[in-house]
Amino acid sequence: MEASKDPAQPRIWHLVGRVSQFPDIGDDEKGCQVLSGCKTLSIPKTDVQEQSQGNRFSDLGDQVLVFKYKGFLHAIDNQCPHSAFPLKQGNVFDIEDLGAGIKCFRHGWKFDLFTGKGDRGSHKLPLWDIELRDPCVSEIDEKLSSTDKEVWVRRPPQS
């Protein structure tokens, strides 16, 4: 019997910080700009060993954008699926009191932050998985609150 070959790489979790490191941009009086309270991290899709060869700069396709809006943490691709513009320059807004969306600064396309669904066409925003974990507390870290969870993200599965 032949072993099945799964072309998809395992989805690996990445630590992006602690919950306290993400200010709630919903409290921002400047119109909920993502840039003010987000973290943009480069997490390449390919193997780390391949990345060590040569001097590679981070492109938008490798970036995750993590931020908190009205108490909810969100992790999304930093690249607009419509025009490849950085979403960290966009604005977050309420959707009929039931959710939230992000509006791309470049062309005004909007995407639901809970489903990824776009307001036009068949474009869908990739949403990353988020997991909150208890931190490993050492003697050095005792000053930190034990309720301050670590935020871990992983890339969504390829469809």
Side-chain angles (χ1 to χ4, degrees), residues 1 8-9 37 48 54 58 65 70 81 87 91 97 99 102 104 110-111 120 127 138 140 143-144 152 158-159:
M1 186 171 181
Q9 291 185 351
V48 174
S58 172
L65 178 66
K70 296 200 174 176
L87 289 174
N91 289 315
D97 297 329
I102 188 166
C104 178
K110 299 174 185 171
F111 300 92
R120 297 175 231 174
L127 306 175
S138 67
I140 299 170
K143 295 182 264 181
L144 297 172
W152 292 75
Q158 298 294 324
S159 36

Side-chain angles (χ1 to χ4, degrees), residues 19-20 22-26 37 66-74:
V19 173
S20 64
F22 295 92
D24 197 322
I25 63 172
V66 185
F67 60 94
K68 187 190 302 183
Y69 179 70
K70 296 200 174 176
F72 290 96
L73 282 166
H74 299 278

Side-chain angles (χ1 to χ4, degrees), residues 15 17-19 131-152:
L15 175 64
R18 294 203 179 201
V19 173
E131 190 173 279
L132 300 180
R133 300 180 185 174
D134 289 327
C136 295
V137 180
S138 67
E139 290 179 26
I140 299 170
D141 292 332
E142 282 184 24
K143 295 182 264 181
L144 297 172
S145 169
S146 62
T147 60
D148 192 13
K149 303 274 188 187
E150 292 178 338
V151 180
W152 292 75

Side-chain angles (χ1 to χ4, degrees), residues 24-33 36:
D24 197 322
I25 63 172
D27 298 336
D28 186 5
E29 296 176 10
K30 297 179 183 175
C32 296
Q33 288 187 315
S36 64

